[in-house]
Structures are given as structure tokens and as C-alpha cells.
Amino acid sequence: MYTIYVKFTCLPEKRAAFIEKVKETGVLAAIRAENGCIRYDYYLSEKDPCELLLIEQWESKEHQQVHVSQPHMDVLRSFKADYITDTQLGEVELK
């Protein structure tokens, strides 16, 4: 299993709108239906209203790498800058 986190910094008051856009465009459903996707969940920071955490879990690193080149990811990239100012990525080591 391969798990990563993505920490987004959203524009002020744009966090909920970003999540809604990901859903209404069908991007979220398409990602969750991808081969090898185990988990793709957003978490809200209670402390920082501009922070959004995404946890992705895949059957393998290869599945996650295929994921980033899917057409629905181009859709996400087309509107991401309207909501997100910074993105930090990291791998999670589960034992």
C-alpha cells in the first residue's frame, strides 16, 4: 500500500468552495473509481480555516503515478489556482 498526504493552503474563505467544485465537476467520484484507489479523503483544519489536508491511499505507488495523468486531474488543475495558493506533498510511512 502507498499513502501520501497533500496539504493545501486555500485562499481565504475558498476551502469549502474548492471541495464543492471537486465534487460537482465529478473529479472526486472519478478519482475514487480509479483502479488501485483505496482512499481519497479531505480533512479540514479546525485551527486554520485556509488549511485543507488530503489523504490518498493507493494499492501501489504505480497506481498513484497513473492517477496524476488521468484526464480528470487536468480538470482539477484547470481550476485549482482559483482556490489554492500552496500545495505541499509528503509520503506517509505506515507500520
Side-chain angles (χ1 to χ4, degrees), residues 6-24:
V6 184
K7 181 181 164 190
F8 297 108
T9 303
C10 302
L11 290 163
E13 300 183 23
K14 292 284 190 169
R15 182 174 71 180
F18 174 71
I19 295 169
E20 190 57 37
K21 183 79 169 184
V22 173
K23 287 191 226 176
E24 75 181 23

Side-chain angles (χ1 to χ4, degrees), residues 26-43:
V27 170
L28 186 58
I31 292 168
R32 288 179 172 163
E34 283 183 50
N35 184 35
C37 182
I38 297 168
R39 175 185 198 179
Y40 195 93
D41 295 319
Y42 290 102
Y43 296 89

Side-chain angles (χ1 to χ4, degrees), residues 46-58:
E46 192 173 302
K47 181 180 175 185
D48 184 349
C50 293
E51 187 176 283
L52 179 64
L53 180 66
L54 168 64
I55 302 294
E56 297 183 35
Q57 228 168 22
W58 299 87

Side-chain angles (χ1 to χ4, degrees), residues 21 25 27 72-83:
K21 183 79 169 184
T25 56
V27 170
H72 48 267
M73 292 306 292
D74 290 334
V75 173
L76 186 137
R77 284 187 278 273
S78 75
F79 63 77
K80 181 180 168 190
D82 295 336
Y83 303 90

